[in-house]
Amino acid sequence: MKTPVRLLACLLFMVVTEGHAADKLPAASHGVAYPEGWKDWATIAVSHRNDNNTLRVILGNDVAVQAARAGDTNPWPDGAILGKVVWKDTQLENWKAAIVPDEFVHAEFMFKDSKKYTDSYGWGWARWVGLEQKPFAEGMDVCIACHTPVKNRDWVFTDPASLP
Amino acid sequence: MKTPVRLLACLLFMVVTEGHAADKLPAASHGVAYPEGWKDWATIAVSHRNDNNTLRVILGNDVAVQAARAGDTNPWPDGAILGKVVWKDTQLENWKAAIVPDEFVHAEFMFKDSKKYTDSYGWGWARWVGLEQKPFAEGMDVCIACHTPVKNRDWVFTDPASLP
């Protein structure tokens, strides 16, 4: 990318993030603050769960994406945030064999901080439900119980998808 | 985000993109230049095709993502680039009902430019195959033939997934 283009991108970034800073964010879930800007994070993987008919994209913040691409994921580094965005699935009207997102269900996140979250295996577990992004408040134990099969993988199900 | 943080992010961005500029990019596909940086683009949707057992994430450059979020997609605006990243599917070892990415297949792109691509319905159609990102060279007609069922949707299958 040429220097003037990068400079322009920088200025644009500052204008855009200035705007976002003024937005009101959803309240914390389990004491974990809402991860601003996750919709613009890069993809780590996708999944389709046939047991509850949901499609997911697994995103990461910069620390998580860098770790995923470097294979540095057991343990994930402090500062990594993994996001799982979940939709009910449905059939694509114009290509029946394609299963695609229907209604948005929730976005859930794991925040790695091995010092802060010693009581929950090094992760802060949080979820925001529905388009209104209502903070999930049933306790991190609900998340941890489900993730127990992967406790030897730093509690993470996702294998970063292969990328060129 | 506070101004010093944003300034720091800007400087970091410039350093990182400076590094990328030195990388050698794959050759053009159908005369369309390789879309540098697509791995960091935001998600527009995902899909799971049961006819060829592939999982996909649909990404977009900034113009495309902004159009998707604004519902400005028929037609998509000039400058929009849509990317479809495709993997063979497999079962997740630790959660059998989850279908997840296996081998990387290809990344394919539609570049909207209603003036430049008048012979191909306003889009430049391109694909890079495998982890080595070999340019696809069998002609845009191959892409267009498959997309004909959605010619009234500006040739795009994807509905942007619902997001908060």
Side-chain angles (χ1 to χ4, degrees):
Chain A
M1 210 187 295
K2 290 199 175 69
T3 301
V5 176
R6 286 183 292 124
L7 204 58
L8 196 67
C10 262
L11 292 171
L12 191 64
F13 170 80
M14 295 194 70
V15 170
V16 169
T17 54
E18 181 66 45
H20 280 181
D23 293 348
K24 200 174 167 294
L25 295 176
S29 159
H30 305 144
V32 179
Y34 193 79
E36 192 180 353
W38 62 262
K39 283 187 282 184
D40 295 323
W41 290 357
T43 300
I44 292 178
V46 296
S47 74
H48 184 201
R49 270 182 62 179
N50 291 318
D51 49 351
N52 65 3
N53 302 316
T54 56
L55 276 166
R56 291 116 184 280
V57 63
I58 296 93
L59 309 174
N61 70 347
D62 288 345
V63 174
V65 166
Q66 200 175 330
R69 292 179 188 170
D72 181 22
T73 61
N74 198 4
W76 290 77
D78 278 355
I81 310 175
L82 297 170
K84 197 171 261 175
V85 188
V86 181
W87 298 271
K88 295 301 286 180
D89 67 11
T90 189
Q91 210 172 26
L92 185 64
E93 189 185 337
N94 294 295
W95 195 281
K96 300 294 185 193
I99 309 302
V100 297
D102 195 2
E103 186 189 342
F104 174 80
V105 178
H106 60 233
E108 53 196 14
F109 298 87
M110 295 172 67
F111 295 69
K112 185 66 187 269
D113 188 330
S114 56
K115 289 179 189 67
K116 184 173 181 182
Y117 296 118
T118 49
D119 292 344
S120 50
Y121 305 103
W123 293 97
W125 309 72
R127 176 187 283 171
W128 286 270
V129 180
L131 289 174
E132 70 277 20
Q133 292 289 270
K134 189 179 170 197
F136 184 75
E138 295 179 34
M140 293 192 191
D141 286 350
V142 175
C143 318
I144 292 165
C146 196
H147 279 248
T148 303
V150 286
K151 64 182 177 182
N152 294 326
R153 297 170 42 90
D154 200 18
W155 301 87
V156 173
F157 281 104
T158 302
D159 284 314
S162 171
L163 283 172
Chain B
M1 214 186 293
K2 292 198 174 67
T3 301
V5 177
R6 285 184 291 122
L7 205 56
L8 195 68
C10 261
L11 292 172
L12 191 66
F13 170 81
M14 293 193 72
V15 170
V16 169
T17 54
E18 182 66 44
H20 279 181
D23 293 348
K24 200 176 167 292
L25 296 176
S29 161
H30 304 143
V32 178
Y34 192 78
E36 193 181 352
W38 61 262
K39 284 187 282 184
D40 294 323
W41 290 356
T43 300
I44 292 178
V46 295
S47 74
H48 184 199
R49 270 181 63 180
N50 291 319
D51 49 351
N52 64 5
N53 302 316
T54 56
L55 276 165
R56 290 114 185 282
V57 62
I58 295 91
L59 308 173
N61 70 347
D62 289 346
V63 174
V65 167
Q66 200 175 331
R69 292 180 188 170
D72 180 23
T73 61
N74 198 0
W76 289 77
D78 278 354
I81 310 176
L82 297 169
K84 197 172 264 176
V85 188
V86 181
W87 299 272
K88 294 303 285 180
D89 68 12
T90 189
Q91 210 172 22
L92 185 64
E93 190 185 335
N94 294 295
W95 195 280
K96 300 293 187 193
I99 309 302
V100 296
D102 195 3
E103 185 188 341
F104 174 81
V105 178
H106 61 234
E108 52 196 15
F109 298 86
M110 295 172 66
F111 294 69
K112 185 66 186 266
D113 188 329
S114 57
K115 289 180 187 66
K116 184 174 179 182
Y117 296 118
T118 48
D119 292 344
S120 51
Y121 305 103
W123 293 96
W125 309 72
R127 175 187 284 172
W128 286 270
V129 180
L131 289 174
E132 69 277 20
Q133 293 287 271
K134 189 181 170 194
F136 184 77
E138 294 178 35
M140 293 191 190
D141 286 350
V142 175
C143 318
I144 292 165
C146 195
H147 279 249
T148 304
V150 286
K151 64 183 177 181
N152 294 326
R153 297 170 40 89
D154 200 16
W155 300 88
V156 173
F157 281 104
T158 302
D159 285 313
S162 171
L163 284 172

